[in-house]
mmCIF file of all heavy atoms in Angstrom:
data_model
loop_
_atom_site.group_PDB
_atom_site.id
_atom_site.type_symbol
_atom_site.label_atom_id
_atom_site.label_comp_id
_atom_site.label_asym_id
_atom_site.label_seq_id
_atom_site.Cartn_x
_atom_site.Cartn_y
_atom_site.Cartn_z
ATOM 1 N N GLY H 227 27.566 -20.508 16.690
ATOM 2 C CA GLY H 227 28.470 -19.568 15.961
ATOM 3 C C GLY H 227 27.578 -18.715 15.034
ATOM 4 O O GLY H 227 27.821 -17.508 14.841
ATOM 5 N N ARG H 228 26.582 -19.374 14.379
ATOM 6 C CA ARG H 228 25.713 -18.615 13.488
ATOM 7 C C ARG H 228 24.854 -17.594 14.240
ATOM 8 O O ARG H 228 24.762 -16.428 13.773
ATOM 9 C CB ARG H 228 24.788 -19.613 12.667
ATOM 10 C CG ARG H 228 25.524 -20.463 11.724
ATOM 11 C CD ARG H 228 24.604 -21.238 10.832
ATOM 12 N NE ARG H 228 25.263 -22.083 9.999
ATOM 13 C CZ ARG H 228 25.308 -23.455 10.145
ATOM 14 N NH1 ARG H 228 24.693 -24.000 11.109
ATOM 15 N NH2 ARG H 228 26.029 -24.218 9.316
ATOM 16 N N GLU H 229 24.410 -17.993 15.423
ATOM 17 C CA GLU H 229 23.592 -16.999 16.267
ATOM 18 C C GLU H 229 24.422 -15.750 16.647
ATOM 19 O O GLU H 229 23.969 -14.685 16.752
ATOM 20 C CB GLU H 229 23.063 -17.776 17.433
ATOM 21 C CG GLU H 229 21.885 -18.694 17.062
ATOM 22 C CD GLU H 229 21.360 -19.490 18.178
ATOM 23 O OE1 GLU H 229 21.910 -19.302 19.352
ATOM 24 O OE2 GLU H 229 20.340 -20.188 18.051
ATOM 25 N N LEU H 230 25.720 -16.104 16.952
ATOM 26 C CA LEU H 230 26.649 -15.021 17.304
ATOM 27 C C LEU H 230 26.781 -14.081 16.059
ATOM 28 O O LEU H 230 26.814 -12.816 16.254
ATOM 29 C CB LEU H 230 27.995 -15.571 17.750
ATOM 30 C CG LEU H 230 29.093 -14.574 17.991
ATOM 31 C CD1 LEU H 230 28.671 -13.596 19.140
ATOM 32 C CD2 LEU H 230 30.411 -15.330 18.358
ATOM 33 N N ARG H 231 26.994 -14.609 14.867
ATOM 34 C CA ARG H 231 27.061 -13.713 13.711
ATOM 35 C C ARG H 231 25.837 -12.961 13.453
ATOM 36 O O ARG H 231 25.868 -11.704 13.059
ATOM 37 C CB ARG H 231 27.456 -14.578 12.462
ATOM 38 C CG ARG H 231 28.880 -15.192 12.533
ATOM 39 C CD ARG H 231 29.279 -15.715 11.169
ATOM 40 N NE ARG H 231 28.487 -16.922 10.792
ATOM 41 C CZ ARG H 231 28.805 -18.130 11.132
ATOM 42 N NH1 ARG H 231 30.004 -18.350 11.857
ATOM 43 N NH2 ARG H 231 28.125 -19.153 10.820
ATOM 44 N N VAL H 232 24.669 -13.555 13.692
ATOM 45 C CA VAL H 232 23.435 -12.902 13.531
ATOM 46 C C VAL H 232 23.354 -11.634 14.478
ATOM 47 O O VAL H 232 22.898 -10.538 14.109
ATOM 48 C CB VAL H 232 22.273 -13.760 13.661
ATOM 49 C CG1 VAL H 232 20.905 -13.024 13.746
ATOM 50 C CG2 VAL H 232 22.179 -14.779 12.524
ATOM 51 N N ALA H 233 23.774 -11.897 15.705
ATOM 52 C CA ALA H 233 23.749 -10.809 16.761
ATOM 53 C C ALA H 233 24.665 -9.645 16.351
ATOM 54 O O ALA H 233 24.314 -8.577 16.526
ATOM 55 C CB ALA H 233 24.134 -11.421 18.103
ATOM 56 N N LYS H 234 25.862 -10.051 15.820
ATOM 57 C CA LYS H 234 26.754 -8.942 15.378
ATOM 58 C C LYS H 234 26.218 -8.137 14.163
ATOM 59 O O LYS H 234 26.239 -6.936 14.096
ATOM 60 C CB LYS H 234 28.128 -9.533 15.042
ATOM 61 C CG LYS H 234 28.908 -10.144 16.210
ATOM 62 C CD LYS H 234 30.179 -10.732 15.745
ATOM 63 C CE LYS H 234 30.993 -11.284 17.042
ATOM 64 N NZ LYS H 234 32.277 -11.832 16.556
ATOM 65 N N TRP H 235 25.618 -8.893 13.158
ATOM 66 C CA TRP H 235 25.237 -8.212 11.966
ATOM 67 C C TRP H 235 23.891 -7.485 12.211
ATOM 68 O O TRP H 235 23.426 -6.676 11.378
ATOM 69 C CB TRP H 235 25.059 -9.298 10.851
ATOM 70 C CG TRP H 235 26.355 -9.796 10.431
ATOM 71 C CD1 TRP H 235 27.595 -9.142 10.475
ATOM 72 C CD2 TRP H 235 26.591 -11.055 9.770
ATOM 73 N NE1 TRP H 235 28.547 -9.976 9.949
ATOM 74 C CE2 TRP H 235 27.965 -11.119 9.480
ATOM 75 C CE3 TRP H 235 25.809 -12.102 9.322
ATOM 76 C CZ2 TRP H 235 28.628 -12.182 8.789
ATOM 77 C CZ3 TRP H 235 26.403 -13.141 8.649
ATOM 78 C CH2 TRP H 235 27.809 -13.129 8.385
ATOM 79 N N SER H 236 23.202 -7.762 13.300
ATOM 80 C CA SER H 236 21.962 -6.997 13.569
ATOM 81 C C SER H 236 22.224 -5.646 13.877
ATOM 82 O O SER H 236 21.273 -4.703 13.790
ATOM 83 C CB SER H 236 21.221 -7.669 14.759
ATOM 84 O OG SER H 236 21.980 -7.498 15.948
ATOM 85 N N LEU H 237 23.497 -5.119 14.149
ATOM 86 C CA LEU H 237 23.849 -3.792 14.308
ATOM 87 C C LEU H 237 24.062 -2.999 12.964
ATOM 88 O O LEU H 237 24.192 -1.778 12.992
ATOM 89 C CB LEU H 237 25.111 -3.681 15.133
ATOM 90 C CG LEU H 237 25.041 -4.314 16.518
ATOM 91 C CD1 LEU H 237 26.415 -4.138 17.198
ATOM 92 C CD2 LEU H 237 23.992 -3.764 17.294
ATOM 93 N N LEU H 238 24.036 -3.794 11.845
ATOM 94 C CA LEU H 238 24.129 -3.054 10.570
ATOM 95 C C LEU H 238 22.802 -2.512 10.135
ATOM 96 O O LEU H 238 21.805 -2.983 10.590
ATOM 97 C CB LEU H 238 24.669 -4.126 9.531
ATOM 98 C CG LEU H 238 26.052 -4.642 9.803
ATOM 99 C CD1 LEU H 238 26.374 -5.716 8.765
ATOM 100 C CD2 LEU H 238 27.045 -3.593 9.768
ATOM 101 N N PRO H 239 22.847 -1.515 9.197
ATOM 102 C CA PRO H 239 21.618 -1.068 8.649
ATOM 103 C C PRO H 239 20.826 -2.087 7.860
ATOM 104 O O PRO H 239 21.463 -3.015 7.323
ATOM 105 C CB PRO H 239 22.052 0.121 7.737
ATOM 106 C CG PRO H 239 23.412 0.481 8.199
ATOM 107 C CD PRO H 239 24.023 -0.759 8.722
ATOM 108 N N SER H 240 19.619 -1.963 7.692
ATOM 109 C CA SER H 240 18.716 -2.836 6.933
ATOM 110 C C SER H 240 18.012 -2.044 5.800
ATOM 111 O O SER H 240 17.589 -0.951 6.072
ATOM 112 C CB SER H 240 17.760 -3.626 7.796
ATOM 113 O OG SER H 240 16.884 -2.679 8.465
ATOM 114 N N ILE H 241 17.831 -2.738 4.626
ATOM 115 C CA ILE H 241 17.204 -2.044 3.571
ATOM 116 C C ILE H 241 15.979 -2.863 3.204
ATOM 117 O O ILE H 241 15.987 -4.074 3.029
ATOM 118 C CB ILE H 241 18.149 -2.009 2.274
ATOM 119 C CG1 ILE H 241 19.386 -1.250 2.698
ATOM 120 C CG2 ILE H 241 17.448 -1.371 1.073
ATOM 121 C CD1 ILE H 241 20.378 -1.197 1.576
ATOM 122 N N THR H 242 14.832 -2.144 3.037
ATOM 123 C CA THR H 242 13.614 -2.868 2.767
ATOM 124 C C THR H 242 12.881 -2.187 1.622
ATOM 125 O O THR H 242 12.749 -0.953 1.556
ATOM 126 C CB THR H 242 12.664 -2.804 4.052
ATOM 127 O OG1 THR H 242 13.297 -3.346 5.134
ATOM 128 C CG2 THR H 242 11.412 -3.631 3.751
ATOM 129 N N LEU H 243 12.321 -3.013 0.710
ATOM 130 C CA LEU H 243 11.568 -2.457 -0.476
ATOM 131 C C LEU H 243 10.154 -2.697 -0.133
ATOM 132 O O LEU H 243 9.701 -3.791 0.162
ATOM 133 C CB LEU H 243 12.028 -3.220 -1.756
ATOM 134 C CG LEU H 243 11.269 -2.876 -2.989
ATOM 135 C CD1 LEU H 243 11.618 -1.377 -3.422
ATOM 136 C CD2 LEU H 243 11.656 -3.819 -4.187
ATOM 137 N N TYR H 244 9.360 -1.573 -0.297
ATOM 138 C CA TYR H 244 7.948 -1.608 -0.201
ATOM 139 C C TYR H 244 7.119 -1.316 -1.452
ATOM 140 O O TYR H 244 7.710 -0.635 -2.310
ATOM 141 C CB TYR H 244 7.473 -0.566 0.840
ATOM 142 C CG TYR H 244 8.101 -0.712 2.230
ATOM 143 C CD1 TYR H 244 9.273 -0.158 2.536
ATOM 144 C CD2 TYR H 244 7.462 -1.491 3.226
ATOM 145 C CE1 TYR H 244 9.907 -0.279 3.782
ATOM 146 C CE2 TYR H 244 7.984 -1.607 4.478
ATOM 147 C CZ TYR H 244 9.206 -0.979 4.760
ATOM 148 O OH TYR H 244 9.807 -1.172 5.988
ATOM 149 N N GLY H 245 5.995 -1.754 -1.679
ATOM 150 C CA GLY H 245 5.180 -1.563 -2.765
ATOM 151 C C GLY H 245 3.686 -1.660 -2.458
ATOM 152 O O GLY H 245 3.322 -2.458 -1.558
ATOM 153 N N GLY H 246 2.843 -0.903 -3.080
ATOM 154 C CA GLY H 246 1.431 -0.998 -2.809
ATOM 155 C C GLY H 246 0.501 -0.449 -3.829
ATOM 156 O O GLY H 246 0.969 0.240 -4.803
ATOM 157 N N TRP H 247 -0.756 -0.661 -3.639
ATOM 158 C CA TRP H 247 -1.798 -0.270 -4.545
ATOM 159 C C TRP H 247 -3.039 -0.002 -3.696
ATOM 160 O O TRP H 247 -3.302 -0.748 -2.764
ATOM 161 C CB TRP H 247 -2.074 -1.328 -5.633
ATOM 162 C CG TRP H 247 -3.368 -1.180 -6.368
ATOM 163 C CD1 TRP H 247 -3.501 -0.516 -7.548
ATOM 164 C CD2 TRP H 247 -4.631 -1.725 -6.018
ATOM 165 N NE1 TRP H 247 -4.809 -0.562 -7.926
ATOM 166 C CE2 TRP H 247 -5.465 -1.218 -7.028
ATOM 167 C CE3 TRP H 247 -5.101 -2.401 -4.971
ATOM 168 C CZ2 TRP H 247 -6.812 -1.597 -6.975
ATOM 169 C CZ3 TRP H 247 -6.436 -2.752 -4.874
ATOM 170 C CH2 TRP H 247 -7.310 -2.310 -5.932
ATOM 171 N N ASN H 248 -3.817 1.021 -4.076
ATOM 172 C CA ASN H 248 -5.045 1.263 -3.352
ATOM 173 C C ASN H 248 -6.032 1.977 -4.241
ATOM 174 O O ASN H 248 -5.623 2.673 -5.292
ATOM 175 C CB ASN H 248 -4.841 2.097 -2.023
ATOM 176 C CG ASN H 248 -4.186 3.448 -2.402
ATOM 177 O OD1 ASN H 248 -4.960 4.430 -2.835
ATOM 178 N ND2 ASN H 248 -2.868 3.573 -2.288
ATOM 179 N N THR H 249 -7.238 1.911 -3.895
ATOM 180 C CA THR H 249 -8.373 2.655 -4.582
ATOM 181 C C THR H 249 -9.541 2.857 -3.640
ATOM 182 O O THR H 249 -9.505 2.263 -2.547
ATOM 183 C CB THR H 249 -8.829 1.857 -5.906
ATOM 184 O OG1 THR H 249 -9.750 2.699 -6.612
ATOM 185 C CG2 THR H 249 -9.521 0.606 -5.461
ATOM 186 N N SER H 250 -10.532 3.682 -4.031
ATOM 187 C CA SER H 250 -11.611 3.992 -3.028
ATOM 188 C C SER H 250 -12.877 4.387 -3.803
ATOM 189 O O SER H 250 -12.869 4.690 -5.011
ATOM 190 C CB SER H 250 -11.181 5.121 -2.120
ATOM 191 O OG SER H 250 -11.004 6.363 -2.908
ATOM 192 N N PHE H 251 -14.001 4.346 -3.082
ATOM 193 C CA PHE H 251 -15.283 4.734 -3.540
ATOM 194 C C PHE H 251 -16.008 5.504 -2.517
ATOM 195 O O PHE H 251 -15.890 5.191 -1.308
ATOM 196 C CB PHE H 251 -16.069 3.508 -4.006
ATOM 197 C CG PHE H 251 -17.544 3.739 -4.228
ATOM 198 C CD1 PHE H 251 -17.918 4.302 -5.446
ATOM 199 C CD2 PHE H 251 -18.495 3.466 -3.232
ATOM 200 C CE1 PHE H 251 -19.260 4.567 -5.710
ATOM 201 C CE2 PHE H 251 -19.828 3.753 -3.474
ATOM 202 C CZ PHE H 251 -20.185 4.265 -4.759
ATOM 203 N N TYR H 252 -16.679 6.616 -2.888
ATOM 204 C CA TYR H 252 -17.549 7.309 -1.853
ATOM 205 C C TYR H 252 -18.795 7.900 -2.560
ATOM 206 O O TYR H 252 -18.797 8.057 -3.783
ATOM 207 C CB TYR H 252 -16.606 8.495 -1.313
ATOM 208 C CG TYR H 252 -16.446 9.636 -2.257
ATOM 209 C CD1 TYR H 252 -17.352 10.763 -2.270
ATOM 210 C CD2 TYR H 252 -15.440 9.583 -3.170
ATOM 211 C CE1 TYR H 252 -17.193 11.774 -3.128
ATOM 212 C CE2 TYR H 252 -15.275 10.664 -4.166
ATOM 213 C CZ TYR H 252 -16.217 11.744 -4.115
ATOM 214 O OH TYR H 252 -16.031 12.770 -5.037
ATOM 215 N N THR H 253 -19.751 8.145 -1.657
ATOM 216 C CA THR H 253 -20.983 8.831 -2.064
ATOM 217 C C THR H 253 -21.655 9.436 -0.884
ATOM 218 O O THR H 253 -21.406 8.973 0.269
ATOM 219 C CB THR H 253 -21.848 7.825 -2.787
ATOM 220 O OG1 THR H 253 -23.085 8.515 -3.247
ATOM 221 C CG2 THR H 253 -22.387 6.716 -1.781
ATOM 222 N N TYR H 254 -22.518 10.490 -1.079
ATOM 223 C CA TYR H 254 -23.270 11.013 -0.026
ATOM 224 C C TYR H 254 -24.582 11.564 -0.508
ATOM 225 O O TYR H 254 -24.810 11.759 -1.696
ATOM 226 C CB TYR H 254 -22.465 12.102 0.701
ATOM 227 C CG TYR H 254 -21.980 13.323 -0.140
ATOM 228 C CD1 TYR H 254 -22.816 14.382 -0.334
ATOM 229 C CD2 TYR H 254 -20.710 13.241 -0.748
ATOM 230 C CE1 TYR H 254 -22.331 15.479 -1.150
ATOM 231 C CE2 TYR H 254 -20.284 14.281 -1.553
ATOM 232 C CZ TYR H 254 -21.110 15.335 -1.765
ATOM 233 O OH TYR H 254 -20.643 16.432 -2.535
ATOM 234 N N SER H 255 -25.412 11.784 0.427
ATOM 235 C CA SER H 255 -26.803 12.130 0.173
ATOM 236 C C SER H 255 -26.884 13.411 -0.660
ATOM 237 O O SER H 255 -26.211 14.426 -0.299
ATOM 238 C CB SER H 255 -27.616 12.236 1.451
ATOM 239 O OG SER H 255 -27.658 11.071 2.151
ATOM 240 N N GLY H 256 -27.811 13.410 -1.623
ATOM 241 C CA GLY H 256 -27.991 14.720 -2.411
ATOM 242 C C GLY H 256 -26.877 14.915 -3.399
ATOM 243 O O GLY H 256 -26.882 15.990 -4.026
ATOM 244 N N TYR H 257 -26.077 14.080 -3.620
ATOM 245 C CA TYR H 257 -24.923 14.268 -4.549
ATOM 246 C C TYR H 257 -24.867 13.088 -5.558
ATOM 247 O O TYR H 257 -24.865 11.904 -5.080
ATOM 248 C CB TYR H 257 -23.657 14.395 -3.842
ATOM 249 C CG TYR H 257 -22.454 14.519 -4.687
ATOM 250 C CD1 TYR H 257 -22.124 15.695 -5.462
ATOM 251 C CD2 TYR H 257 -21.544 13.382 -4.920
ATOM 252 C CE1 TYR H 257 -21.077 15.697 -6.344
ATOM 253 C CE2 TYR H 257 -20.473 13.521 -5.749
ATOM 254 C CZ TYR H 257 -20.235 14.691 -6.408
ATOM 255 O OH TYR H 257 -19.119 14.709 -7.255
ATOM 256 N N HIS H 258 -24.855 13.397 -6.780
ATOM 257 C CA HIS H 258 -24.803 12.257 -7.824
ATOM 258 C C HIS H 258 -23.316 11.978 -8.049
ATOM 259 O O HIS H 258 -22.639 12.600 -8.891
ATOM 260 C CB HIS H 258 -25.443 12.788 -9.089
ATOM 261 C CG HIS H 258 -25.403 11.719 -10.198
ATOM 262 N ND1 HIS H 258 -26.182 10.566 -10.074
ATOM 263 C CD2 HIS H 258 -24.799 11.705 -11.335
ATOM 264 C CE1 HIS H 258 -25.949 9.853 -11.123
ATOM 265 N NE2 HIS H 258 -25.076 10.485 -11.960
ATOM 266 N N SER H 259 -22.805 10.997 -7.295
ATOM 267 C CA SER H 259 -21.411 10.618 -7.368
ATOM 268 C C SER H 259 -21.141 9.720 -8.632
ATOM 269 O O SER H 259 -22.080 9.053 -9.091
ATOM 270 C CB SER H 259 -20.978 9.873 -6.105
ATOM 271 O OG SER H 259 -21.737 8.766 -5.947
ATOM 272 N N PRO H 260 -20.027 9.690 -9.152
ATOM 273 C CA PRO H 260 -19.634 8.837 -10.233
ATOM 274 C C PRO H 260 -19.931 7.350 -9.860
ATOM 275 O O PRO H 260 -19.951 6.991 -8.710
ATOM 276 C CB PRO H 260 -18.151 9.007 -10.460
ATOM 277 C CG PRO H 260 -17.918 10.428 -9.960
ATOM 278 C CD PRO H 260 -18.827 10.591 -8.766
ATOM 279 N N SER H 261 -20.056 6.451 -10.883
ATOM 280 C CA SER H 261 -20.394 5.059 -10.595
ATOM 281 C C SER H 261 -19.199 4.413 -9.968
ATOM 282 O O SER H 261 -18.037 4.853 -9.864
ATOM 283 C CB SER H 261 -20.603 4.361 -12.024
ATOM 284 O OG SER H 261 -19.415 4.290 -12.774
ATOM 285 N N TYR H 262 -19.560 3.247 -9.410
ATOM 286 C CA TYR H 262 -18.568 2.498 -8.675
ATOM 287 C C TYR H 262 -17.352 2.139 -9.508
ATOM 288 O O TYR H 262 -16.178 2.253 -9.094
ATOM 289 C CB TYR H 262 -19.207 1.262 -8.077
ATOM 290 C CG TYR H 262 -18.330 0.338 -7.166
ATOM 291 C CD1 TYR H 262 -18.164 0.602 -5.821
ATOM 292 C CD2 TYR H 262 -17.633 -0.639 -7.832
ATOM 293 C CE1 TYR H 262 -17.275 -0.096 -5.051
ATOM 294 C CE2 TYR H 262 -16.764 -1.441 -7.001
ATOM 295 C CZ TYR H 262 -16.576 -1.209 -5.703
ATOM 296 O OH TYR H 262 -15.684 -1.894 -4.917
ATOM 297 N N SER H 263 -17.609 1.630 -10.706
ATOM 298 C CA SER H 263 -16.538 1.188 -11.567
ATOM 299 C C SER H 263 -15.606 2.380 -11.917
ATOM 300 O O SER H 263 -14.363 2.178 -12.000
ATOM 301 C CB SER H 263 -17.083 0.542 -12.812
ATOM 302 O OG SER H 263 -17.989 1.333 -13.519
ATOM 303 N N ASN H 264 -16.190 3.520 -12.211
ATOM 304 C CA ASN H 264 -15.448 4.672 -12.598
ATOM 305 C C ASN H 264 -14.486 5.124 -11.389
ATOM 306 O O ASN H 264 -13.343 5.458 -11.614
ATOM 307 C CB ASN H 264 -16.355 5.870 -13.064
ATOM 308 C CG ASN H 264 -16.977 5.534 -14.444
ATOM 309 O OD1 ASN H 264 -16.432 4.801 -15.236
ATOM 310 N ND2 ASN H 264 -18.098 6.138 -14.660
ATOM 311 N N GLN H 265 -15.125 5.182 -10.233
ATOM 312 C CA GLN H 265 -14.283 5.555 -9.101
ATOM 313 C C GLN H 265 -13.259 4.578 -8.816
ATOM 314 O O GLN H 265 -12.125 4.915 -8.389
ATOM 315 C CB GLN H 265 -15.220 5.807 -7.892
ATOM 316 C CG GLN H 265 -16.099 6.966 -7.861
ATOM 317 C CD GLN H 265 -16.726 7.349 -6.601
ATOM 318 O OE1 GLN H 265 -16.035 7.322 -5.560
ATOM 319 N NE2 GLN H 265 -18.045 7.619 -6.539
ATOM 320 N N PHE H 266 -13.597 3.278 -8.980
ATOM 321 C CA PHE H 266 -12.657 2.273 -8.620
ATOM 322 C C PHE H 266 -11.408 2.411 -9.463
ATOM 323 O O PHE H 266 -10.252 2.258 -9.161
ATOM 324 C CB PHE H 266 -13.309 0.843 -8.828
ATOM 325 C CG PHE H 266 -12.422 -0.205 -8.365
ATOM 326 C CD1 PHE H 266 -12.545 -0.813 -7.163
ATOM 327 C CD2 PHE H 266 -11.419 -0.837 -9.195
ATOM 328 C CE1 PHE H 266 -11.793 -1.794 -6.636
ATOM 329 C CE2 PHE H 266 -10.691 -1.914 -8.693
ATOM 330 C CZ PHE H 266 -10.871 -2.387 -7.465
ATOM 331 N N ARG H 267 -11.640 2.809 -10.842
ATOM 332 C CA ARG H 267 -10.566 2.973 -11.745
ATOM 333 C C ARG H 267 -9.938 4.259 -11.595
ATOM 334 O O ARG H 267 -8.644 4.451 -11.646
ATOM 335 C CB ARG H 267 -11.172 2.835 -13.231
ATOM 336 C CG ARG H 267 -10.068 2.875 -14.320
ATOM 337 C CD ARG H 267 -10.629 2.657 -15.663
ATOM 338 N NE ARG H 267 -11.756 3.545 -15.997
ATOM 339 C CZ ARG H 267 -13.046 3.177 -15.966
ATOM 340 N NH1 ARG H 267 -13.434 2.019 -15.579
ATOM 341 N NH2 ARG H 267 -13.961 4.105 -16.267
ATOM 342 N N ASN H 268 -10.599 5.380 -11.398
ATOM 343 C CA ASN H 268 -10.083 6.730 -11.434
ATOM 344 C C ASN H 268 -9.312 7.014 -10.115
ATOM 345 O O ASN H 268 -8.405 7.825 -10.080
ATOM 346 C CB ASN H 268 -11.142 7.733 -11.653
ATOM 347 C CG ASN H 268 -11.761 7.626 -13.051
ATOM 348 O OD1 ASN H 268 -11.064 7.215 -13.973
ATOM 349 N ND2 ASN H 268 -12.977 8.047 -13.186
ATOM 350 N N ASN H 269 -9.760 6.385 -8.926
ATOM 351 C CA ASN H 269 -9.139 6.618 -7.743
ATOM 352 C C ASN H 269 -7.942 5.740 -7.423
ATOM 353 O O ASN H 269 -7.405 5.800 -6.350
ATOM 354 C CB ASN H 269 -10.194 6.584 -6.562
ATOM 355 C CG ASN H 269 -11.232 7.560 -6.678
ATOM 356 O OD1 ASN H 269 -11.067 8.577 -7.250
ATOM 357 N ND2 ASN H 269 -12.406 7.271 -6.031
ATOM 358 N N MET H 270 -7.628 4.953 -8.327
ATOM 359 C CA MET H 270 -6.519 3.904 -8.155
ATOM 360 C C MET H 270 -5.179 4.631 -8.035
ATOM 361 O O MET H 270 -4.867 5.555 -8.814
ATOM 362 C CB MET H 270 -6.518 2.939 -9.304
ATOM 363 C CG MET H 270 -5.616 1.731 -9.173
ATOM 364 S SD MET H 270 -5.770 0.614 -10.558
ATOM 365 C CE MET H 270 -7.430 0.252 -10.665
ATOM 366 N N GLY H 271 -4.347 4.091 -7.189
ATOM 367 C CA GLY H 271 -2.966 4.620 -6.967
ATOM 368 C C GLY H 271 -1.951 3.544 -6.646
ATOM 369 O O GLY H 271 -2.371 2.570 -5.991
ATOM 370 N N GLU H 272 -0.717 3.796 -6.896
ATOM 371 C CA GLU H 272 0.359 2.835 -6.631
ATOM 372 C C GLU H 272 1.500 3.572 -6.017
ATOM 373 O O GLU H 272 1.679 4.766 -6.305
ATOM 374 C CB GLU H 272 0.772 1.967 -7.842
ATOM 375 C CG GLU H 272 -0.259 1.185 -8.527
ATOM 376 C CD GLU H 272 -0.911 1.900 -9.568
ATOM 377 O OE1 GLU H 272 -0.466 3.036 -9.972
ATOM 378 O OE2 GLU H 272 -1.951 1.527 -10.149
#
């Protein structure tokens, strides 16, 4: 009976909450890039 109800309710819409955080660091030859700690803090996003 429960599996039957699950099958019926699976046709209803579903709502999901997402959240995240990220940061980055980069450098290349001939360029004086900011320090790792500064980039880690300044490039941070949620």
